[in-house]
Every structure is written in C-alpha cells, then in structure tokens.
Amino acid sequence: MHSIKETFTSRYALSEENFEILRSHMSLIEKQKGELILKEGQVDHSVYFIEKGAVRSYYFNKEGKDVSVWFGFEGDIAVSLGNFIHAHPSLENIELLENTTLLKISNSTLLELYTTHIDLANFGRRLAEQALLEMEQQIFLTQTSDAKTRYHSLIDKFPGILQRVKLGHIASYLGITQVTLSRIRAEK
C-alpha cells in the first residue's frame, strides 16, 4: 500500500514540494466504518482524499434499492462532482466501508491553490481527467460487456476488492444480482 504522497507524486506527477503545500491546507480526519461523509441532498464544501480505507458512493433507485456507483481506496478522491463544481445538493451518499483516514480540504481553499500554484492546478486537471476517463470506461463496459466481463474488469482494477467490499455492493455496482455474482465467481 502506497502512502497518499507516493500516489500523488507518481500517479499525478505532483512534486513533493507541491504535495507539502497541498497537505499543509488539509486536515486529517478519522471516521468509522458505516459513517457517511456525504448524504444525498446535502451540500458539502469539502473534498476528501483517502489516506487509508475504503469508500463507496451509492444512491437509492426508484424501487428503493441501494445502487453502488463507485468505490474509492487509498489515494483516491471522495467527492460528489455536482456538489463540488456547482454546490448542488448531492445525488449520492458516500459511505465508509472500513475505518477510514481522510485528508479533508475545503473547496474554496483547493480552488484558491489552483489559482496561485500552476502545478497544483495541473494536479487538479489530472485528477479530473482520471475521473472522466474512469467514468467513460465504466459506461462503455456497462453498455457493451456482459456481467462476467464487467466482474473481471473490476477485479483487475481493484485486486483486493473482494476482501474489502460486501458482495451485495459489488453486485449492485455491476448491475447484477448477488446470485448471478456468486455464479460468476464459481466459474473457473
């Protein structure tokens, strides 16, 4: 497991100096498994980076079923984009799947850092590009692949996910039932 500093410097090409500038504006918070850091309908003026732990975003569909949208692990960002960009009430809930350590920064502070430090602005751009790329890949997989392919893609992306995330959450993310997920997992 890489530290968040190693992740930011390797994945997003952020210099150690700029990481320290960013880090100096963040507060470290620890939350318990099952807590929500964002609730549907809430406006939160913060961005969270996952130092240690696992997080998922979900919403309730019209039948009242809980549907997982994304998972986040060490080095990932946990934020509702509509909340961050336009301060719209969140369409999703963000739940901690493990006891989690987060680095929290206010939207306004982060945006100010983007305007005063070009390297941090580029870091933010790369974060956004990565999020868009992952969203595009997920949409493409969902629309063009069968459940087995989607499952194997998820395992390739997050090799330890089965040890960290409930199967029901994984099934809802894949758009399948737990029975179908069990059948796929049983195939060799």
Side-chain angles (χ1 to χ4, degrees), residues 90-127:
S90 177
L91 300 174
E92 62 196 316
N93 300 287
I94 300 179
E95 175 189 26
L96 307 180
L97 301 176
E98 301 173 342
N99 293 341
T100 302
T101 304
L102 301 158
L103 292 170
K104 178 180 177 179
I105 188 168
S106 73
N107 293 357
S108 59
T109 300
L110 187 59
L111 293 173
E112 176 64 25
L113 287 171
Y114 289 170
T115 63
T116 57
H117 295 80
I118 189 68
D119 290 337
L120 291 175
N122 284 328
F123 163 76
R125 178 185 49 79
R126 284 189 287 277
L127 271 175

Coordinates of all heavy atoms in Angstrom, one line a residue, residues 90-127:
S90 N -26.1 17.0 -3.2 CA -25.6 15.7 -3.7 C -26.7 14.7 -4.1 O -27.7 14.6 -3.5 CB -24.8 15.0 -2.6 OG -24.3 13.8 -3.0
L91 N -26.5 14.0 -5.2 CA -27.4 13.0 -5.7 C -27.0 11.7 -5.1 O -27.8 10.7 -5.3 CB -27.3 12.9 -7.2 CG -27.7 14.2 -8.0 CD1 -27.4 14.0 -9.5 CD2 -29.1 14.5 -7.7
E92 N -25.9 11.6 -4.3 CA -25.4 10.3 -3.8 C -25.1 10.4 -2.3 O -25.0 11.5 -1.8 CB -24.2 9.9 -4.6 CG -23.0 11.0 -4.5 CD -22.0 10.8 -5.5 OE1 -21.5 9.7 -5.8 OE2 -21.5 11.9 -6.0
N93 N -24.9 9.2 -1.8 CA -24.3 9.1 -0.4 C -22.9 8.6 -0.6 O -22.6 7.8 -1.5 CB -25.1 8.1 0.4 CG -26.6 8.5 0.5 OD1 -26.9 9.4 1.2 ND2 -27.5 7.8 -0.3
I94 N -22.0 9.0 0.3 CA -20.6 8.5 0.3 C -20.4 7.8 1.7 O -20.4 8.5 2.7 CB -19.6 9.5 -0.1 CG1 -19.8 10.1 -1.4 CG2 -18.2 8.9 0.0 CD1 -18.9 11.2 -1.9
E95 N -20.3 6.5 1.6 CA -20.2 5.7 2.8 C -18.8 5.1 3.0 O -18.2 4.7 2.0 CB -21.2 4.6 2.7 CG -21.2 3.6 3.9 CD -22.0 2.4 3.6 OE1 -22.3 2.0 2.5 OE2 -22.4 1.8 4.6
L96 N -18.4 5.0 4.3 CA -17.1 4.4 4.6 C -17.3 2.9 4.8 O -18.2 2.5 5.6 CB -16.5 5.0 5.8 CG -16.4 6.6 5.8 CD1 -15.8 7.1 7.1 CD2 -15.6 7.0 4.6
L97 N -16.6 2.1 4.0 CA -16.7 0.7 4.1 C -15.7 0.0 5.1 O -15.9 -1.1 5.4 CB -16.4 0.1 2.7 CG -17.4 0.5 1.6 CD1 -17.0 0.0 0.3 CD2 -18.8 0.2 2.0
E98 N -14.8 0.8 5.6 CA -13.8 0.4 6.6 C -13.6 1.6 7.5 O -13.9 2.8 7.1 CB -12.5 0.0 6.0 CG -12.6 -1.1 5.0 CD -11.2 -1.3 4.2 OE1 -10.3 -0.4 4.2 OE2 -11.1 -2.4 3.7
N99 N -13.0 1.4 8.6 CA -12.5 2.6 9.4 C -11.5 3.3 8.4 O -10.6 2.6 7.8 CB -11.8 2.1 10.6 CG -12.7 1.5 11.6 OD1 -13.9 1.7 11.6 ND2 -12.2 0.8 12.6
T100 N -11.7 4.6 8.3 CA -11.0 5.3 7.2 C -10.3 6.6 7.7 O -10.9 7.3 8.5 CB -12.0 5.6 6.1 OG1 -12.6 4.4 5.6 CG2 -11.4 6.4 4.9
T101 N -9.2 6.8 7.2 CA -8.4 8.1 7.4 C -8.5 8.9 6.2 O -8.1 8.4 5.1 CB -7.0 7.8 7.8 OG1 -6.9 6.9 8.9 CG2 -6.2 9.1 8.2
L102 N -9.0 10.1 6.3 CA -9.2 11.0 5.2 C -8.4 12.3 5.4 O -8.2 12.7 6.5 CB -10.7 11.4 5.0 CG -11.6 10.2 4.9 CD1 -13.0 10.6 5.3 CD2 -11.6 9.8 3.4
L103 N -8.0 12.9 4.3 CA -7.4 14.2 4.3 C -8.5 15.1 3.7 O -9.0 14.9 2.6 CB -6.2 14.3 3.4 CG -5.0 13.6 4.0 CD1 -3.9 13.5 3.0 CD2 -4.5 14.2 5.3
K104 N -8.9 16.1 4.4 CA -10.0 17.0 4.1 C -9.5 18.4 3.7 O -8.7 18.9 4.5 CB -11.0 17.0 5.2 CG -12.2 17.9 5.0 CD -13.1 17.9 6.2 CE -14.3 18.8 6.1 NZ -15.2 18.7 7.3
I105 N -10.1 18.9 2.6 CA -9.7 20.3 2.3 C -11.0 21.0 1.8 O -11.8 20.3 1.1 CB -8.6 20.4 1.2 CG1 -8.1 21.8 1.0 CG2 -9.0 19.7 -0.1 CD1 -6.8 21.9 0.1
S106 N -11.2 22.3 2.1 CA -12.4 23.0 1.6 C -12.3 23.2 0.1 O -11.2 23.4 -0.4 CB -12.6 24.3 2.4 OG -11.6 25.2 2.0
N107 N -13.4 23.2 -0.5 CA -13.4 23.5 -2.0 C -12.8 24.9 -2.2 O -12.0 25.0 -3.2 CB -14.9 23.6 -2.5 CG -15.6 22.3 -2.5 OD1 -15.0 21.3 -2.1 ND2 -16.9 22.3 -2.8
S108 N -13.1 25.9 -1.4 CA -12.6 27.2 -1.7 C -11.1 27.3 -1.5 O -10.4 27.9 -2.3 CB -13.2 28.3 -0.8 OG -13.0 27.9 0.6
T109 N -10.5 26.6 -0.6 CA -9.1 26.5 -0.4 C -8.4 25.8 -1.6 O -7.4 26.3 -2.1 CB -8.7 25.8 0.9 OG1 -9.3 26.6 2.0 CG2 -7.2 25.7 1.1
L110 N -9.0 24.7 -2.0 CA -8.4 24.0 -3.1 C -8.5 24.8 -4.4 O -7.5 24.9 -5.1 CB -9.2 22.7 -3.3 CG -8.6 21.7 -4.4 CD1 -7.2 21.3 -4.0 CD2 -9.5 20.5 -4.5
L111 N -9.6 25.5 -4.6 CA -9.7 26.4 -5.8 C -8.7 27.5 -5.7 O -8.1 27.9 -6.8 CB -11.1 26.8 -6.0 CG -12.1 25.7 -6.4 CD1 -13.5 26.3 -6.4 CD2 -11.8 25.1 -7.7
E112 N -8.5 28.1 -4.6 CA -7.5 29.2 -4.4 C -6.1 28.6 -4.7 O -5.3 29.3 -5.3 CB -7.6 29.7 -3.0 CG -6.6 30.8 -2.6 CD -6.7 32.1 -3.5 OE1 -7.8 32.4 -3.9 OE2 -5.7 32.8 -3.6
L113 N -5.8 27.4 -4.2 CA -4.5 26.8 -4.5 C -4.3 26.6 -6.0 O -3.2 26.8 -6.5 CB -4.3 25.5 -3.8 CG -4.1 25.6 -2.3 CD1 -4.1 24.3 -1.6 CD2 -2.7 26.3 -2.0
Y114 N -5.4 26.3 -6.7 CA -5.3 26.1 -8.1 C -5.0 27.4 -8.8 O -4.3 27.4 -9.8 CB -6.6 25.6 -8.7 CG -6.9 24.1 -8.4 CD1 -8.2 23.6 -8.7 CD2 -6.0 23.3 -7.8 CE1 -8.5 22.3 -8.4 CE2 -6.3 21.9 -7.5 CZ -7.6 21.4 -7.8 OH -7.9 20.1 -7.6
T115 N -5.5 28.5 -8.3 CA -5.2 29.8 -9.0 C -3.9 30.4 -8.6 O -3.3 31.2 -9.4 CB -6.3 30.9 -8.6 OG1 -6.2 31.1 -7.2 CG2 -7.7 30.4 -9.0
T116 N -3.3 29.9 -7.5 CA -2.0 30.5 -7.1 C -0.8 29.6 -7.4 O 0.4 30.0 -7.3 CB -2.0 30.9 -5.6 OG1 -2.3 29.7 -4.9 CG2 -3.0 32.0 -5.4
H117 N -1.0 28.3 -7.8 CA 0.1 27.4 -8.0 C -0.3 26.6 -9.3 O -1.1 25.7 -9.2 CB 0.2 26.4 -6.8 CG 0.7 27.1 -5.6 ND1 -0.2 27.7 -4.7 CD2 1.9 27.1 -5.0 CE1 0.5 28.2 -3.7 NE2 1.7 27.9 -3.8
I118 N 0.4 26.9 -10.3 CA 0.1 26.2 -11.6 C 0.3 24.7 -11.5 O -0.5 23.9 -12.1 CB 1.0 26.8 -12.8 CG1 0.5 26.2 -14.1 CG2 2.4 26.5 -12.6 CD1 -0.9 26.7 -14.5
D119 N 1.3 24.2 -10.7 CA 1.5 22.8 -10.6 C 0.3 22.1 -9.9 O -0.1 21.0 -10.2 CB 2.8 22.5 -9.9 CG 4.0 22.8 -10.7 OD1 3.8 22.8 -12.0 OD2 5.1 23.0 -10.1
L120 N -0.3 22.8 -8.9 CA -1.5 22.3 -8.2 C -2.7 22.3 -9.2 O -3.5 21.4 -9.1 CB -1.7 23.0 -6.9 CG -0.7 22.7 -5.8 CD1 -1.0 23.6 -4.6 CD2 -0.7 21.3 -5.4
A121 N -2.8 23.3 -10.0 CA -3.9 23.4 -11.0 C -3.7 22.2 -11.9 O -4.7 21.6 -12.3 CB -3.8 24.7 -11.7
N122 N -2.5 21.9 -12.4 CA -2.3 20.8 -13.3 C -2.6 19.5 -12.6 O -3.2 18.5 -13.2 CB -0.9 20.8 -13.8 CG -0.7 21.8 -14.9 OD1 -1.6 22.1 -15.6 ND2 0.5 22.4 -14.9
F123 N -2.3 19.4 -11.3 CA -2.7 18.2 -10.5 C -4.2 18.1 -10.5 O -4.8 17.0 -10.7 CB -2.2 18.4 -9.0 CG -2.8 17.5 -8.0 CD1 -2.5 16.2 -7.9 CD2 -3.7 18.0 -7.1 CE1 -3.1 15.3 -7.0 CE2 -4.3 17.2 -6.1 CZ -4.0 15.9 -6.1
G124 N -4.9 19.2 -10.3 CA -6.4 19.1 -10.3 C -6.9 18.7 -11.6 O -7.9 18.0 -11.7
R125 N -6.3 19.2 -12.7 CA -6.7 18.8 -14.1 C -6.5 17.3 -14.3 O -7.4 16.6 -14.8 CB -5.9 19.6 -15.1 CG -6.3 19.2 -16.5 CD -5.4 20.0 -17.6 NE -4.0 19.9 -17.3 CZ -3.1 18.9 -17.5 NH1 -3.6 17.8 -18.0 NH2 -1.9 19.0 -17.2
R126 N -5.4 16.8 -13.8 CA -5.1 15.4 -14.0 C -6.1 14.5 -13.2 O -6.5 13.5 -13.6 CB -3.7 15.1 -13.6 CG -2.7 15.5 -14.7 CD -1.3 15.0 -14.5 NE -0.5 15.7 -13.4 CZ 0.1 16.9 -13.5 NH1 0.1 17.5 -14.7 NH2 0.7 17.4 -12.5
L127 N -6.4 15.0 -12.0 CA -7.5 14.3 -11.2 C -8.8 14.3 -11.9 O -9.4 13.2 -12.0 CB -7.7 15.1 -9.9 CG -6.9 14.7 -8.6 CD1 -7.2 15.7 -7.5 CD2 -7.1 13.3 -8.2

